Amino acid sequence: MSQRQLKLGAFMRPVSIHTGAWRYPGAFPDANFNFNHYKRFIQTLERGRFDAFFMADHLALLNMPIEALKRSHTVSSFDPLTLLPALAAVTEHIGLIATASTTYNEPYHIARKFASLDHISGGRAGWNLVTTSNPDAALNFGQDEHMVHGERYQRAREFLDVVTGLWDGWADDALIRDVESGIFFDPERVRPLNHTGPEFKVRGPLNVARPIQGWPVIVQAGASEAGKQVAAETAEAVFAGVGTLADGQRLYADIKGRMPALGRDPDHLKILPGAFVVVGETLAEARAKRDHLDSLVHYDSAIASLSIALGTDASAFDPDRPLPPIPDTNQSKSGRERTIALAEREGLTVRQLAQRLGGYGGLAMVGTPSMIADEMEAWLEGRASDGFNVMFPWLPGGLDEFVDQVVPELQRRGLFRREYEGRTLRENLGLPRPPNRLFPES
Amino acid sequence: MSQRQLKLGAFMRPVSIHTGAWRYPGAFPDANFNFNHYKRFIQTLERGRFDAFFMADHLALLNMPIEALKRSHTVSSFDPLTLLPALAAVTEHIGLIATASTTYNEPYHIARKFASLDHISGGRAGWNLVTTSNPDAALNFGQDEHMVHGERYQRAREFLDVVTGLWDGWADDALIRDVESGIFFDPERVRPLNHTGPEFKVRGPLNVARPIQGWPVIVQAGASEAGKQVAAETAEAVFAGVGTLADGQRLYADIKGRMPALGRDPDHLKILPGAFVVVGETLAEARAKRDHLDSLVHYDSAIASLSIALGTDASAFDPDRPLPPIPDTNQSKSGRERTIALAEREGLTVRQLAQRLGGYGGLAMVGTPSMIADEMEAWLEGRASDGFNVMFPWLPGGLDEFVDQVVPELQRRGLFRREYEGRTLRENLGLPRPPNRLFPES
């Protein structure tokens, strides 16, 4: 079909991003460390024809105050590169995007693990390349101080060069396996990389054949100036954190606008904002679900989030009254204004506002399947996104509702596939297979 | 039953260790990078009640001359820690032992990956801790020179301390997940490690709950003095490379003899020599199979192996005549003598001898199922081993024959389980669950 099509990822952190999710009626509180639950989730997503299962990650436990930490199900999780191969074995079509840091890894390992995952999954691997902004991670890897932002991005670029160079070290036809002559691979079609740069010195070649997709799909999430530039240069999908359609349009135009000058087709990068979706039979029911979910965020955690958003200590406010007037401070003016506007627009008490922000404060689509489809369609047609990384309010319920109610509505409108188009993640996302830079003819 | 029982691992490197295996009639030449083949292998091994699938590893491609390399199916493979989670998802009982180097990894990653694998597999993970003796690996990880042997072992000990400390950082009952109160985990039952040593500085805690087995099973393979001592102190299974029953008895007595003084029960370490097993309906048929397999080793590769074993250049010898007299040299006297004795004992030509060594030159059991069972029983009863890491001559044939013919014979004699005894690898191997050092009461 010629109509623009949505691409949908499932954003798993490690299941729901909402801090109250595990307490919702019917939720699996133990989902983080229960493989059978993950298996159920991903098989449902595959039935819903999702492009990918997108596994977020952290490299430390202690990235929030202990009072919030002890209530949170989002800070501990399986290693994505250990979970996703297991999920590959129980699925056939859905993409598998693992987050892996360029700051705390070696490129030889990362190249090999993603190449292995790509082979094991039949060409369904994606790499969400992050530079790790959590300073607690440094303390788990022998460093006292976190690498500064610019240095992390410089390392990330070189890291990606090394990894893609290692993937290209095998021609696609290098493995001959000629039983008669006894030649397993053609040594002329395998080359060392001999990379020497400021951060890395890697000889190669890799000890895994070139990935089925050539390269696993390269995914990024950076919203900083450096992050957007790296994305325009190298990313094939971007997980964007934008709050409004207008913000989405700006980011979309910004990143895609950089690509032609870099020799890249803007269609070869898919911008997928995170969207927290709550489905109801009526708008009122959907809102009531969200309100109940938010009410499960403990007030101690919630008020800390509100204080950060307002730039002022909110703990002395009366929780059951509207927000009092907030004095101007030097910090986070736009965040404060957005928060005050939200409270006024929805008539929220301090407690409700705090719990909203402590649960999930980003882009949300709350309503009937038809209303959610309207909103997704508006983003797609308005060139604010190429699809979404869907965040489920709780699991399995919120995920099942999306697949059983929203996906059919999107399909009915011709906005979303009824069957997978291709065999690989790259084919389903509509991305070209990268040519091999070391063996251009292959 | 009270009789001593064999423990059996399947040694996969990455499938057969024999360099001619991929050319054997009926073999899968593409097994290295074909997940469906691995799935078939491990499901057959599970049907045969094997304790574990043991995945060897290298961290470089070029660890032999290019003429041998291009003929070899053993030098390239999936990353074990990516393959084994996928195999966990398609099995229920068999253990999953992944090789991972302490020289080229970070302990936080290794602790997390094995903890994740242990949860995903329901307590079936094992870690074959290696220090990586292949100097080519250094060149893939930013180093010009390989770390010297003593330094590697010092690092390995500290690495293991950090990893086990991270596993112990969560009490077994730390995850409360009390939906009513909203407490997900008890912060009093999770502790940072705060390790500072000569090699590593790691704060912790890990962001994964304590493994189901407490610790995944610790496996080692070192045969050096340092390796044997580390094994006696810390290993729970040893992959031993011994050629004869007498050698096996010496190693067995040596390692187990060190344990009581270290406060360890010798039964809590299983010594499992690698055994290359070729099954036939008659001895003659088994030998013919091995001869045919050896004949598939290319002469260029074979003669290089023979030259190394003899300590002299064998390339000028007449391949179709018996071995000529070999002059004494300063190096590898015992290896030379063993090689000469082998040629005389079996009446091998230079070509046959070279191909034997170029294929697989270690401990082999070649014969009928009954003869192989006799030999395994003799090792077990003679306290030369607690079982074996079985190496299959080619796959799937050699593996299927072992499971369908040798396993039933071992079971008939009461030497091997008919059903798995426990739920975890540790339970099947008869190893205790390690107490938690940070939370002794848990």
Side-chain angles (χ1 to χ4, degrees), chain B residues 297-313:
Chain B
V297 178
H298 195 276
Y299 196 64
D300 291 347
S301 321
I303 206 68
S305 302
L306 179 59
S307 298
I308 290 165
L310 293 174
T312 194
D313 179 8

Side-chain angles (χ1 to χ4, degrees), chain A residues 279-286 289 367-369 405:
Chain A
V279 186
E281 287 189 29
T282 61
L283 175 60
E285 189 196 79
K289 284 179 174 177
T368 63
Q405 298 174 40

Side-chain angles (χ1 to χ4, degrees), chain A residues 1 65 80 125 175 220 236 279 385 396:
Chain A
M1 47 195 111
L175 283 162
Q220 283 162 42
E236 302 180 289
V279 186
S385 82

Side-chain angles (χ1 to χ4, degrees), chain B residues 76-399:
Chain B
S76 57
S77 77
F78 290 145
D79 169 56
L81 276 170
T82 309
L83 176 64
L84 266 51
L87 294 176
V90 296
T91 52
E92 285 178 43
H93 302 286
I94 193 168
L96 303 153
I97 301 175
T99 297
S101 170
T102 54
T103 302
Y104 301 108
N105 275 301
E106 288 283 343
Y108 197 87
H109 284 313
I110 291 297
R112 189 175 182 215
K113 286 174 191 298
F114 278 99
S116 298
L117 178 60
D118 203 53
H119 283 282
I120 289 168
S121 64
R124 296 187 281 136
W127 172 23
N128 179 35
L129 185 163
V130 298
T131 63
T132 307
S133 59
N134 173 5
D136 283 319
L139 303 174
N140 291 330
F141 293 90
Q143 292 163 33
D144 290 323
E145 302 215 355
H146 194 56
M147 208 179 282
V148 297
H149 188 266
E151 212 178 311
R152 292 206 317 270
Y153 271 89
Q154 190 185 355
R155 181 177 161 105
R157 278 170 197 246
E158 189 181 336
F159 196 112
L160 181 62
D161 279 346
V162 173
V163 168
T164 54
L166 287 168
W167 287 333
D168 285 347
W170 289 67
D172 288 309
D173 57 2
L175 283 161
I176 301 168
R177 300 188 192 103
D178 182 350
V179 169
E180 195 55 41
S181 69
I183 307 294
F184 193 75
F185 64 83
D186 181 352
E188 301 292 313
R189 310 289 289 159
V190 179
R191 276 185 216 156
L193 180 63
N194 291 321
H195 173 91
T196 304
E199 291 280 342
F200 302 106
K201 194 169 165 184
V202 178
R203 188 181 69 174
L206 200 62
N207 51 2
V208 179
R210 193 165 191 250
I212 288 176
Q213 296 183 100
W215 304 355
V217 174
I218 306 297
V219 183
Q220 284 162 40
S224 66
E225 177 54 33
K228 287 187 286 192
Q229 185 61 21
V230 171
E233 290 173 14
T234 65
E236 301 180 290
V238 166
F239 168 64
V242 287
T244 65
L245 191 143
D247 287 347
Q249 287 171 321
R250 266 189 294 276
L251 186 76
Y252 194 92
D254 180 349
I255 294 180
K256 297 221 178 190
R258 299 174 193 230
M259 294 177 70
L262 296 162
R264 295 190 67 203
D265 180 341
D267 279 348
H268 294 167
L269 185 158
K270 306 299 173 187
I271 296 187
L272 307 173
F276 184 79
V277 177
V278 185
V279 186
E281 287 189 30
T282 62
L283 175 60
E285 189 195 79
R287 284 191 176 152
K289 284 179 174 178
R290 187 184 200 191
D291 289 345
H292 183 59
L293 182 62
D294 284 348
S295 78
L296 299 172
V297 178
H298 195 276
Y299 196 64
D300 291 347
S301 321
I303 206 68
S305 302
L306 179 59
S307 298
I308 290 165
L310 293 174
T312 194
D313 179 8
S315 63
F317 298 168
D318 184 337
D320 297 313
R321 307 266 322 233
L323 198 63
I326 305 298
D328 265 13
T329 67
N330 285 330
Q331 58 183 90
S332 79
K333 192 168 155 64
S334 67
R336 188 171 59 247
E337 285 170 358
R338 270 203 308 273
T339 306
I340 294 168
L342 168 66
E344 286 175 1
R345 192 171 63 246
E346 300 199 20
L348 303 175
T349 64
V350 167
R351 184 191 309 277
Q352 287 167 329
L353 180 64
Q355 287 176 324
R356 170 69 58 84
L357 299 178
Y360 181 70
L363 173 64
M365 300 180 180
V366 181
T368 63
S370 169
M371 294 166 73
I372 291 161
D374 285 347
E375 203 163 348
M376 290 192 162
E377 189 166 4
W379 280 68
L380 185 69
E381 297 307 324
R383 299 289 193 276
S385 81
D386 296 304
F388 297 93
N389 266 306
V390 181
M391 297 162 161
F392 305 106
W394 70 91
L395 295 98
L399 185 154

Side-chain angles (χ1 to χ4, degrees), chain B residues 31-76:
Chain B
N32 287 20
F33 297 123
N34 186 320
F35 177 67
N36 284 329
H37 291 331
Y38 280 106
K39 183 172 161 179
R40 173 189 165 142
F41 301 154
I42 198 167
Q43 289 179 339
T44 305
L45 292 166
E46 189 166 82
R47 177 164 60 76
R49 307 293 185 258
F50 266 63
D51 289 85
F53 181 103
F54 180 113
M55 181 82 175
D57 198 33
H58 296 282
L59 290 174
L61 183 68
L62 301 175
N63 60 346
M64 54 172 82
I66 192 74
E67 277 309 300
L69 190 68
K70 73 180 183 190
R71 302 182 186 284
S72 178
H73 67 127
T74 65
V75 295
S76 57

Side-chain angles (χ1 to χ4, degrees), chain A residues 117-124 212-213 423-424:
Chain A
L117 178 60
D118 203 52
H119 283 282
I120 288 168
S121 64
R124 296 187 282 137
I212 288 176
Q213 296 183 99
R423 218 173 34 89
T424 67

